[in-house]
Each structure stands twice: as structure tokens, then as C-alpha cells.
Amino acid sequence: MANFTYANSAVVSRMFEHLQNTMFPGISGNDVRFNHEGIRDIDQVRILQYQLNDDEIIIRVEVGEVVNVGDYSTFQHTNDSFLFPDGVPTDGVPIEEVVTVTIGLTVVYVILAAAGLVFTIICLVFTIFFRNERLIRLSSPNLNYMIGLGAIVLYINVIILVIPAKDTNLAAVICNVNPWLISLGCSLCYGIIIIKMIRVWVIFNRPLEFKARLFRDYLMTLFVLCLAIIDVVILLLYTVIEATRDNLGVKLTSNRELPEETFGVTAERHKYSLYICESKGQVYLYAILFGYKGILQVLALLLAFRTRNVKVKGLDDSVYIAASVYVTSIVLTVIIVSTYTLREYVNAFPAVVGMGLLLGTTTIIGLVFIPRVSKQ
């Protein structure tokens, strides 16, 4: 045996000869024997399991047997529920599948957002064409241009929200572009509504000389631009800080709209995930951005309530401005709540936020521009 190698046919033949002559009793009570090829010579092997019976007592149960059929062995058992009372075990590691926004939701929201873009552009063209008319001048057309620009940004953001993104790089781009669009769009579109509401209140509560100096169009435009600059500074700081920490990517997380796992016909396990922003600092980013916007919105909401009965010739858009404030307040509330509660719902998040932006932005454009269009 000291000189044994598998190439030594004499030694191998001698080993198989002794193995064929070997016989001993097995745990089943039958003799264990081997044939001339070294294969165990059996006709039947019983398979036993330890299971809990109805009385929660562990018992040994025969669940099947292995029998020889010609040159093959086969496992025979009663049924899967008896063999696997807790369910058929999974085969291998789970197959991770990335889920995205359904194509139906994407098509509907893209069409609605595109219609909103066309509507906004038509309103802007109308305002530019009739900007010298008295009724248009009283509504501050330069400020209305900024409302239209903000609306365009928000409509584009709706389209980006519903883009199906299974690619990591595309998901990361959408994740990092979304805060810029939604923040700048709100500052331009909703910021003008806020400053217009403040102007309405001041006109009826402050001296004429004071209000004439403070609420010229260029100063109101400067106020809104300051809001946009604040957004840019905050977003740039966030981007730089998170980029240095390599936190501007995305990560896979479980999609709460579907079962976390399902099983295929061959017992393969499927795990459903979606891409969300990986940055932990995004929570603080939205808290800061929506925090100061929320304070201004609350102020405008209070002023809108206090001037709800104002009806003066030459200032007939005050009612529409107040209505716009109510709408923007609802939209911002929906966006804030959805951002913190629906991020792991692949369809619900873009559907709720997108619908809020569509309804809110379209309502504001309608309230600001349609009364002017209808009177021309």
C-alpha cells in the first residue's frame, strides 16, 4: 500500500475485490454490500425525517424511498406537503429583480406633463403678445413669466419622476437631478405666488408711500431670485459634501408594493427591489429646502385668509392669488409627506408626487393666465 497509485491497476483491482467481499449490517437492518464496480448494491433506501406531529411531539416519519430502476435510482415519495410540511425549500440564492415604474403610469404622466408644457407655453406667448394691454400690465407680466418658467421646470420634473430606470447610472442621475428641479421649480412658480400674496396684504395694511417703494416688479423679481439662489447654494453644498463622501449614488431596497419574495415553478426565489438615493444627507437636504419654503408658505396662507374678502377694481387678481396660495400649500404638503413616507413604493411615490405637481401647477397657471386670456 505504501507504493499505491491510481495508475497501478493491480492494486486497484485488488481493492475492488476486497470491497466486493465486504458485507456488514446497516442501520436499516439490511446488509450493506458493494458490487464489482465499488457501487453499493441496494434495491431500496428508506428516507426518514423528524417532524412535529399534531401534538407538537417530534416523531420519525418515513417520507419516501430511493429505488433502483434499471441503471438509475429514483426518489419516490407521497407528496410535497408531506415531505416539506413547512413548504418546499428554496433552491440557491435569491434572484434579485429591479422593478421600475409601470409603463402605463409612465405613458399617462408623460402625456399629461407634455400637455401642461404646451398649455404653459401658450399662456406665456399670449402674455408676451399682449403685455402692453392694461389688464395684462396690472397683473405684472414680468412676474408671470417667472411663474411660467417655474411651471415648465415642474412639468419636466414630473416626466423625470416616471422614467423607468433599471440602469444604476440612470437611476443615480434621476435621483440627483430631482431635488434641483423640484426646488427651483417651486421657488420660481410658488415663490411668485407668495410674494404677490404679501403685496396684496401690504397694499391694504401699510401706507401708500411704503408699499409703492417696496413692491415694484423688479424688487419682487429680486426676492424670488434670492429664493432660487438660496436653493442653488444649499444644493451645491449638499452635492460637494456628499460627493466627497461618495454618497451620491443609489442603492437597492425592497419594494413595498410587492411581496418581498416569490417562488418560481422550480422553487427559485425572486427578490424584488428598486433604486433609491443612497445619500443619508438627503433627509436633511429636504428638511432645509422645504423648511424655509414651508415658513413662507404658512405666512402667505395666513395673509390669504386675512385678505379673502378683498375685491377692488384694478386688483381683481387678488382672489386668484389667494386661491393659488391654498393650492400651493396643499401641493407642498403632499410632496413633503410623500418624500418621507413613499420612497420605497416604486409606483406610489411618483404617482402621488407627480399628480400633486400636475394638479397644483396646472391650477396655478390657469388661475394666473386664464382670467386674462378670457377678457381679451
Side-chain angles (χ1 to χ4, degrees), residues 39 44 60 122 145 158 194 196 309:
I39 306 300
Q44 180 181 357
R60 191 169 65 173
I122 291 174
Y145 297 152
V158 172
I194 292 172
K196 278 191 171 188
N309 296 320

Side-chain angles (χ1 to χ4, degrees), residues 100-102 104-106 108-110 112 157-163 257 334-335 338-339 342-343 345-360:
T100 61
V101 180
T102 59
L105 183 66
T106 300
V108 170
Y109 274 56
V110 168
L112 292 175
N157 186 54
V158 172
I159 295 175
I160 290 178
L161 275 175
V162 295
I163 293 177
E257 288 182 1
V334 169
I335 293 174
S338 300
T339 299
L342 297 178
R343 293 294 296 176
Y345 293 81
V346 66
N347 289 300
F349 175 71
V352 173
V353 175
M355 183 55 64
L357 292 174
L358 285 171
L359 292 177

Side-chain angles (χ1 to χ4, degrees), residues 49-171:
Q49 276 187 351
Y50 287 97
Q51 298 180 3
L52 289 174
N53 63 11
D54 295 336
D55 297 324
E56 298 295 318
I57 299 175
I58 297 178
I59 60 174
R60 191 169 65 173
V61 179
E62 182 175 340
V63 296
E65 59 185 12
V66 178
V67 297
N68 290 335
V69 180
D71 295 331
Y72 301 95
S73 296
T74 181
F75 175 60
Q76 296 179 351
H77 63 288
T78 53
N79 55 64
D80 286 342
S81 62
F82 185 73
L83 177 61
F84 304 112
D86 296 326
V88 179
T90 59
D91 182 15
V93 297
I95 301 171
E96 191 162 51
E97 297 187 19
V98 178
V99 293
T100 61
V101 180
T102 59
I103 188 64
L105 183 66
T106 300
V107 171
V108 170
Y109 274 56
V110 168
I111 292 175
L112 292 175
L117 284 170
V118 173
F119 175 57
T120 302
I121 292 172
I122 291 174
C123 291
L124 288 175
V125 171
F126 171 85
T127 302
I128 294 172
F129 188 77
F130 293 101
R131 63 185 180 276
N132 293 323
E133 296 292 331
R134 180 177 180 276
L135 191 62
I136 302 299
R137 291 202 312 272
L138 288 175
S139 67
S140 302
N142 292 331
L143 300 180
N144 292 341
Y145 297 152
M146 298 187 69
I147 292 177
L149 178 59
I152 290 173
V153 173
L154 291 177
Y155 283 128
I156 293 174
N157 186 54
V158 172
I159 295 175
I160 290 178
L161 275 175
V162 295
I163 293 177
K166 286 193 174 183
D167 178 73
T168 305
N169 294 327
L170 178 59

Side-chain angles (χ1 to χ4, degrees), residues 253-320:
T253 188
S254 297
N255 174 33
R256 295 188 179 182
E257 288 182 1
L258 294 172
E260 289 190 2
E261 296 177 349
T262 59
F263 302 92
V265 293
T266 58
E268 76 276 11
R269 181 168 47 151
H270 297 263
K271 182 179 180 182
Y272 301 98
S273 304
L274 75 155
Y275 284 115
I276 64 170
C277 298
E278 186 177 21
S279 171
K280 295 180 180 179
Q282 192 172 49
V283 174
Y284 305 104
L285 171 68
Y286 281 116
I288 295 172
L289 288 176
F290 290 126
Y292 84 87
K293 285 181 171 63
I295 294 172
L296 292 173
Q297 195 69 35
V298 170
L299 173 62
L301 194 60
L302 293 174
L303 298 180
F305 181 77
R306 295 191 62 178
T307 58
R308 63 190 182 279
N309 296 320
V310 170
K311 293 181 181 179
V312 178
K313 186 177 180 180
L315 194 64
D316 57 343
D317 63 342
S318 60
V319 177
Y320 303 125

Side-chain angles (χ1 to χ4, degrees), residues 191-209:
I192 290 293
I193 297 300
I194 292 172
I195 193 62
K196 278 191 171 188
M197 188 69 258
I198 295 175
R199 178 174 67 176
V200 171
W201 180 82
V202 169
I203 285 176
F204 293 96
N205 292 273
R206 290 293 180 269
L208 180 63
E209 182 181 353

